[in-house]
Amino acid sequence: MLDWREMPQALLGMEVSEIQEVLGPEQPEFRARQVYEALYHSQATDLIQITTLPGVLRARLASGHMVGQPTAEHRYESSDGTRRYLLRLDDGRTVETVWMPEETRDTLCISSQVGCPVDCKFCMTALMGLERNLTAGEIVGQVLYVARDNGLLGQGARLNIVMMGMGEPLLNLENVVKATRILVDPRGVGLSEKRVTLSTAGIVPKIAELGLEPVRPKLAVSLNASTEEMRQELMPITRKYHLKDLLDACRAYPLRPWEKLTFEYVLLKGVNDTDTDARRVVKLLANLNCKVNLIALNPGPGIPYETPDPERVLAFQALVRRAMPCFIRKPRGLDIFAACGQLKRVGG
């Protein structure tokens, strides 16, 4: 691994006030704003490219600093158009980012940690354990790199960001929220808050913290079970943050006028996919302003569960949909290990 102490300081992830500190008190604030807009709005990849700055200032900035973009170690191409990127960070570690193009929108699934500490038993990323949190710049950098590689930003951008890649975002909340501010700032990347979603396994106290943030992603909660006992078996984190407490936190969560909670439910054959499970899910989520996304298990090596038959998935959906909106998430990139729960830095 590279010694990060010997690296130039990365600017990506800094907000205007932090860039101002880098430039020094002798520089007017508008110079910091020029750097900020060049990094995020214009997607500069080299500090020398920031031609709005005087040449002397550009050279001084570039002498001890860098943009801090990740680099692509590998790009995997799926037969369905999905692309999975293995991105290398400045310290040599790698994370994965997935681009899923559709007719009416593009979706980027980005990572918030290197690995994941939560240990869900149906997820390949859990087999890695946790290496470290990502910085705000490394989170934003994934978006900028893949967007630039596929021409996703600019006029009429229809880009959705989902923090559902490697990691548990609420265990890196400070950096996730900072990255979100940059992503949705009109002078930054310029996305809408309505197009950024964070998915959590259910870190109860952090859900309340997220709700206090004035700028924040939408909230999606991984439910995956219809009883406390089943959820403890599938998601050991429930032993610390119980299902009842999680649902209480969801009821207390301050939704914005345009917002619904999303509950993700991974269906495992013969484990949590019965009609009885579906009815219990409806009862658990009663009186919540929410929708449910069903995900038939995406299989992978080391995962001891099977994918339910399509007919079972449809039957489960039909029961839940009587009470609340319920959708089936179409798997993308299965042939390159890019689908939900498959990110483990494997070949494809």
Side-chain angles (χ1 to χ4, degrees), residues 305-332:
Y305 299 104
E306 297 179 20
T307 306
D309 297 331
E311 296 77 16
R312 178 88 302 265
V313 177
L314 289 169
F316 196 102
Q317 181 196 29
L319 285 168
V320 176
R321 198 159 58 180
R322 292 176 188 172
M324 62 197 67
C326 182
F327 306 93
I328 297 171
R329 190 189 297 171
K330 180 182 176 183
R332 299 291 303 272

Side-chain angles (χ1 to χ4, degrees), residues 90-105:
D90 289 333
D91 67 354
R93 290 183 170 86
T94 56
V95 292
E96 292 188 298
T97 306
V98 178
W99 172 50
M100 294 167 281
E102 299 179 59
E103 285 188 15
T104 58
R105 64 182 178 182

Side-chain angles (χ1 to χ4, degrees), residues 94-161:
T94 56
V95 292
E96 292 188 298
T97 306
V98 178
W99 172 50
M100 294 167 281
E102 299 179 59
E103 285 188 15
T104 58
R105 64 182 178 182
D106 294 284
T107 299
L108 281 188
C109 182
I110 66 174
S111 297
S112 56
Q113 297 178 306
V114 183
C116 186
V118 176
D119 197 27
C120 299
K121 300 305 181 183
F122 47 83
C123 179
M124 288 173 61
T125 311
L127 301 175
M128 294 173 57
L130 176 68
E131 295 183 25
R132 68 168 173 85
N133 284 335
L134 295 185
T135 66
E138 290 166 338
I139 295 169
V140 174
Q142 295 171 71
V143 176
L144 294 178
Y145 184 94
V146 179
R148 189 173 61 251
D149 195 48
N150 297 284
L152 304 181
L153 294 175
Q155 195 69 29
R158 50 175 200 172
L159 183 60
N160 290 333
I161 307 298

Side-chain angles (χ1 to χ4, degrees), residues 162-219:
V162 290
M163 297 179 186
M164 299 180 185
M166 291 179 166
E168 165 52 65
L170 290 188
L171 292 178
N172 188 18
L173 184 59
E174 182 179 352
N175 286 314
V176 162
V177 169
K178 185 180 182 185
T180 301
R181 289 197 300 267
I182 294 168
L183 289 171
V184 305
D185 184 353
R187 293 190 172 188
V189 180
L191 302 175
S192 166
E193 278 182 88
K194 297 180 181 180
R195 289 186 174 270
V196 183
T197 301
L198 174 160
S199 179
T200 177
I203 314 299
V204 171
K206 294 293 183 179
I207 290 174
E209 281 187 43
L210 178 67
L212 296 175
E213 293 291 340
V215 177
R216 62 182 186 268
K218 295 186 296 184
L219 179 62

Side-chain angles (χ1 to χ4, degrees), residues 2-11 14 47 61-68 90:
L2 298 174
D3 186 342
W4 62 269
R5 291 167 295 187
E6 298 175 1
M7 299 289 293
Q9 186 180 21
L11 297 182
M14 291 188 183
L47 297 178
L61 192 60
S63 67
H65 301 82
M66 60 182 179
V67 172
D90 289 333

Side-chain angles (χ1 to χ4, degrees), residues 171-319:
L171 292 178
N172 188 18
L173 184 59
E174 182 179 352
N175 286 314
V176 162
V177 169
K178 185 180 182 185
T180 301
R181 289 197 300 267
I182 294 168
L183 289 171
V184 305
D185 184 353
R187 293 190 172 188
V189 180
L191 302 175
S192 166
E193 278 182 88
K194 297 180 181 180
R195 289 186 174 270
V196 183
T197 301
L198 174 160
S199 179
T200 177
I203 314 299
V204 171
K206 294 293 183 179
I207 290 174
E209 281 187 43
L210 178 67
L212 296 175
E213 293 291 340
V215 177
R216 62 182 186 268
K218 295 186 296 184
L219 179 62
V221 177
S222 292
L223 184 61
N224 305 323
S226 65
T227 67
E228 172 84 2
E229 296 72 26
M230 184 188 302
R231 199 168 190 272
Q232 284 190 14
E233 181 180 331
L234 298 175
M235 303 176 71
I237 197 166
T238 303
R239 296 167 194 165
K240 184 172 184 179
Y241 302 116
H242 300 298
L243 181 56
K244 179 185 180 300
D245 298 329
L246 173 61
L247 294 172
D248 286 345
C250 290
R251 291 189 185 93
Y253 190 77
L255 292 172
R256 290 157 288 193
W258 45 265
E259 190 175 11
K260 283 181 180 290
L261 287 170
T262 298
F263 287 91
E264 313 280 355
Y265 194 98
V266 176
L267 290 161
L268 311 172
K269 185 174 183 177
V271 176
N272 66 351
D273 64 345
T274 68
D275 287 356
T276 300
D277 287 307
R279 294 187 186 99
R280 283 196 292 244
V281 167
V282 168
K283 189 173 181 180
L284 286 174
L285 304 184
N287 303 318
L288 277 165
N289 182 11
C290 69
K291 63 179 181 178
V292 177
N293 283 342
L294 301 178
I295 306 161
L297 174 71
N298 297 310
I303 302 301
Y305 299 104
E306 297 179 20
T307 306
D309 297 331
E311 296 77 16
R312 178 88 302 265
V313 177
L314 289 169
F316 196 102
Q317 181 196 29
L319 285 168

